[in-house]
Amino acid sequence: MIPINKKATIKNARRFLGGEFQQYKDLSQARFSIPYAMPSGVAVSGGAIDTVEKKQVNGLDPSMIVDTVLDTLGKMKADNAKLLKLRYVDNVRVVDLAYRIGYSERGTYKLLNNALYEFGLLFGLIVWA
């Protein structure tokens, strides 16, 4: 059996949750909230809503991706899921997270790496060695 590259899998999960997932989360929220009044029938170019439409045309539904991530968190160990939810869904900084759980910042990063590894395995972000 081919071994899993743990470090690269963690990096993949961190890149996804810290980058793409944040964009999908923002797009899914923008889909249901209109920041300003816009008369119907007016052509608009750019902006979050157009980006959502383009993503859906390409076959990606931001709301579905966010739901899939939340479902994956639900399948994880409770402590790991809570850490990732606070860090990437609620956008709590690592320093504040460390204070909340009573660990040093370095210890919190270790816990986050373990949680990211579990997420990467479950979500399919595995990198083979």
Coordinates of all heavy atoms in Angstrom, one line a residue, residues 4 7 10 12 15 18 20 34-36 38 41 52 57-58 61 73 79 84 98 101-102 105 108-109 113 115 119-120:
I4 N 0.6 7.5 3.0 CA 0.1 8.9 2.9 C 1.1 9.9 3.4 O 1.8 9.7 4.4 CB -1.2 9.0 3.8 CG1 -2.3 8.1 3.3 CG2 -1.7 10.4 3.8 CD1 -3.5 8.0 4.2
K7 N 2.2 15.4 6.0 CA 2.5 16.8 6.0 C 1.8 17.5 4.8 O 1.2 18.6 4.9 CB 4.0 17.1 5.9 CG 4.5 18.4 6.2 CD 6.0 18.5 6.3 CE 6.5 19.9 6.6 NZ 7.9 20.0 6.7
I10 N -2.0 17.7 5.4 CA -2.3 18.8 6.3 C -2.3 20.1 5.5 O -3.2 20.9 5.7 CB -1.4 18.8 7.5 CG1 -1.7 17.5 8.4 CG2 -1.5 20.1 8.3 CD1 -0.6 17.3 9.4
N12 N -2.7 20.6 2.3 CA -3.9 20.6 1.4 C -5.1 21.0 2.1 O -5.9 21.8 1.7 CB -4.1 19.2 0.8 CG -3.7 19.2 -0.7 OD1 -3.2 20.2 -1.2 ND2 -4.0 18.0 -1.3
R15 N -4.9 24.7 3.1 CA -5.1 25.5 1.9 C -6.6 25.6 1.5 O -7.1 26.6 1.2 CB -4.3 25.0 0.8 CG -4.3 25.9 -0.4 CD -3.4 25.4 -1.6 NE -2.1 25.1 -1.1 CZ -1.5 23.9 -1.4 NH1 -2.2 22.9 -2.1 NH2 -0.3 23.6 -1.0
G18 N -8.7 27.4 4.5 CA -8.3 28.8 4.6 C -8.5 29.6 3.4 O -8.6 30.8 3.5
E20 N -10.2 28.3 -0.4 CA -11.4 28.1 -1.2 C -12.6 28.0 -0.4 O -13.6 28.6 -0.8 CB -11.2 26.7 -1.9 CG -10.2 26.7 -3.0 CD -10.1 25.3 -3.6 OE1 -11.1 24.7 -4.0 OE2 -8.9 24.8 -3.7
I34 N -29.0 40.4 0.0 CA -28.7 41.4 -1.0 C -28.3 42.7 -0.2 O -29.0 43.3 0.6 CB -30.0 41.7 -1.8 CG1 -30.4 40.4 -2.5 CG2 -29.8 42.9 -2.8 CD1 -31.8 40.5 -3.2
P35 N -27.0 43.1 -0.5 CA -26.4 44.2 0.3 C -27.1 45.6 0.0 O -27.0 46.5 0.7 CB -25.0 44.2 -0.1 CG -24.9 43.5 -1.4 CD -26.1 42.6 -1.4
Y36 N -27.7 45.7 -1.2 CA -28.4 47.0 -1.5 C -29.6 46.7 -2.4 O -29.6 45.7 -3.0 CB -27.4 47.9 -2.2 CG -26.6 47.3 -3.3 CD1 -27.2 47.2 -4.6 CD2 -25.4 46.7 -3.1 CE1 -26.5 46.5 -5.6 CE2 -24.7 46.0 -4.1 CZ -25.3 46.0 -5.4 OH -24.6 45.3 -6.4
M38 N -31.7 46.7 -5.6 CA -31.4 46.7 -7.0 C -32.7 46.4 -7.7 O -33.4 45.4 -7.5 CB -30.4 45.6 -7.3 CG -30.1 45.5 -8.8 SD -29.4 47.0 -9.5 CE -27.8 47.0 -8.7
G41 N -34.5 43.3 -13.2 CA -34.3 43.5 -14.7 C -33.1 44.4 -15.0 O -32.9 44.6 -16.2
V52 N -21.3 34.0 -7.9 CA -22.0 32.8 -7.5 C -22.6 32.1 -8.8 O -22.5 30.9 -8.9 CB -23.1 33.1 -6.5 CG1 -24.0 31.9 -6.3 CG2 -22.5 33.6 -5.2
V57 N -22.7 27.8 -12.9 CA -22.6 27.4 -14.3 C -21.5 26.4 -14.4 O -21.6 25.5 -15.2 CB -22.4 28.7 -15.2 CG1 -22.1 28.2 -16.6 CG2 -23.7 29.5 -15.2
N58 N -20.4 26.6 -13.7 CA -19.3 25.7 -13.8 C -19.5 24.4 -13.1 O -18.7 23.5 -13.0 CB -18.0 26.3 -13.3 CG -17.5 27.5 -14.2 OD1 -17.8 27.5 -15.4 ND2 -16.8 28.4 -13.6
D61 N -21.8 24.5 -6.6 CA -22.7 25.2 -5.8 C -22.1 25.5 -4.5 O -21.9 24.6 -3.7 CB -24.0 24.4 -5.7 CG -25.1 25.1 -4.9 OD1 -24.9 26.4 -4.6 OD2 -26.0 24.5 -4.5
L73 N -17.2 17.7 9.0 CA -16.9 18.0 10.4 C -17.7 17.2 11.4 O -17.3 16.8 12.4 CB -17.1 19.5 10.7 CG -16.1 20.5 10.0 CD1 -16.5 21.9 10.2 CD2 -14.7 20.3 10.4
D79 N -13.6 16.9 19.4 CA -12.6 17.9 19.7 C -12.0 18.5 18.4 O -11.8 19.7 18.3 CB -11.5 17.4 20.6 CG -12.0 17.1 22.0 OD1 -13.1 17.6 22.4 OD2 -11.3 16.3 22.7
L84 N -11.7 23.0 14.3 CA -11.7 23.4 12.9 C -12.9 24.3 12.7 O -12.8 25.3 11.9 CB -11.8 22.2 11.9 CG -10.6 21.4 11.8 CD1 -10.7 20.3 10.8 CD2 -9.3 22.2 11.5
A98 N -6.2 29.4 21.2 CA -5.3 28.9 22.3 C -5.7 29.4 23.6 O -5.7 28.6 24.6 CB -3.8 29.4 22.0
I101 N -8.9 27.4 24.7 CA -8.8 26.0 25.1 C -7.7 25.8 26.2 O -7.5 24.7 26.6 CB -8.5 25.1 23.9 CG1 -7.2 25.5 23.2 CG2 -9.7 25.2 22.9 CD1 -6.8 24.5 22.1
G102 N -7.0 26.8 26.5 CA -6.0 26.7 27.6 C -4.7 26.1 27.2 O -4.0 25.5 28.0
E105 N 0.1 28.6 22.1 CA -0.1 28.8 20.7 C 0.5 27.6 19.9 O -0.1 27.1 18.9 CB 0.5 30.1 20.2 CG 0.0 30.5 18.8 CD 0.5 31.9 18.5 OE1 0.8 32.7 19.4 OE2 0.5 32.2 17.3
T108 N -1.6 24.6 20.3 CA -2.8 24.7 19.5 C -2.6 24.4 18.0 O -3.4 23.7 17.4 CB -3.4 26.1 19.7 OG1 -3.6 26.4 21.1 CG2 -4.7 26.3 18.9
Y109 N -1.4 24.8 17.5 CA -1.1 24.5 16.1 C -0.9 23.0 16.0 O -1.4 22.4 14.9 CB 0.2 25.2 15.7 CG 0.0 26.6 15.2 CD1 0.4 27.7 15.9 CD2 -0.7 26.8 14.0 CE1 0.2 29.0 15.4 CE2 -0.9 28.1 13.5 CZ -0.5 29.2 14.2 OH -0.7 30.4 13.7
N113 N -3.2 20.8 13.5 CA -2.6 19.9 12.4 C -3.2 18.5 12.5 O -3.5 17.9 11.5 CB -1.1 19.9 12.6 CG -0.4 21.1 12.0 OD1 -1.0 21.8 11.2 ND2 0.8 21.3 12.4
A115 N -6.2 17.8 13.6 CA -7.6 18.0 13.1 C -7.6 18.1 11.6 O -8.5 17.6 10.9 CB -8.2 19.2 13.8
F119 N -9.5 15.8 8.8 CA -10.3 16.4 7.8 C -9.9 16.0 6.4 O -10.7 15.7 5.6 CB -10.4 17.9 8.0 CG -11.3 18.6 7.0 CD1 -12.6 18.7 7.2 CD2 -10.7 19.1 5.8 CE1 -13.5 19.3 6.2 CE2 -11.5 19.7 4.9 CZ -12.9 19.8 5.1
G120 N -8.6 16.1 6.2 CA -8.1 15.8 4.9 C -8.4 14.4 4.5 O -8.7 14.1 3.3

